[in-house]
Amino acid sequence: MSNQAAQDVVCCPPLAERRVPAEAAAVLAPAFKALGDPVRLQLLSMIASAESGEICVCDLTPAFDLTGPTISHHLRTLREAGLVDAERRGTWVYYRARPAILRQLAALLTVAPTT
C-alpha cells in the first residue's frame, strides 16, 4: 500500500454498523496484516508512544532479542503498510507513526457501548 493510498482512504463506519466497502478493505487490510505479528505490534506501540513523536531505530533494536536486520525487516513492513514514516539522519533512521491511518483502523474496530 502506498503512503498516498493510506492517506486517501475515507474511513468507514465501524464494522458493527455497516459493511466495509471493498476499496477501504483493500487499503486497510495490509495494515491489519502487518499488525498481525507480535514484534511489529510492539514496534508500532513503541513508535506511536515515543515522547517526542518519533524514535530512533537505535532505541528500538535493543528492546528485542532479534538481530538488526530482522528489526529492519519488521520496520520496512510497517512502512510499506503505511503505518509509519521514516527519515534518515546521518547513520540513523527515525520513525514516526502515521496518526491518520491509525485513527482509521481504530474507527473501523470501534464497538458501540452496550447499555
Side-chain angles (χ1 to χ4, degrees):
M1 164 171 42
S2 74
N3 287 343
Q4 189 60 45
Q7 290 173 352
D8 291 343
V9 171
V10 176
C11 194
C12 324
L15 290 171
E17 292 179 15
R18 201 175 102 207
R19 179 179 167 186
V20 177
E23 305 80 37
V27 173
L28 295 175
F32 281 115
K33 183 176 179 180
L35 293 175
D37 182 275
V39 172
R40 289 193 287 268
L41 185 56
Q42 289 179 304
L43 283 167
L44 182 61
S45 175
M46 291 175 70
I47 295 166
S49 66
E51 238 177 75
S52 66
E54 65 181 7
I55 190 167
C56 178
V57 70
C58 61
D59 295 320
L60 295 169
T61 305
F64 298 91
D65 189 26
L66 299 169
T67 65
T70 300
I71 294 296
S72 292
H73 163 75
H74 287 301
L75 290 167
R76 184 180 69 240
T77 300
L78 292 174
R79 271 193 334 270
E80 290 173 352
L83 294 165
V84 299
D85 285 324
E87 179 183 339
R88 179 170 293 282
R89 296 183 199 152
T91 59
W92 299 113
V93 178
Y94 288 78
Y95 291 87
R96 289 175 305 288
R98 300 190 65 228
I101 192 159
L102 296 180
R103 280 191 296 273
Q104 291 171 353
L105 296 174
L108 191 63
L109 296 176
T110 299
V111 177
T114 56
T115 55

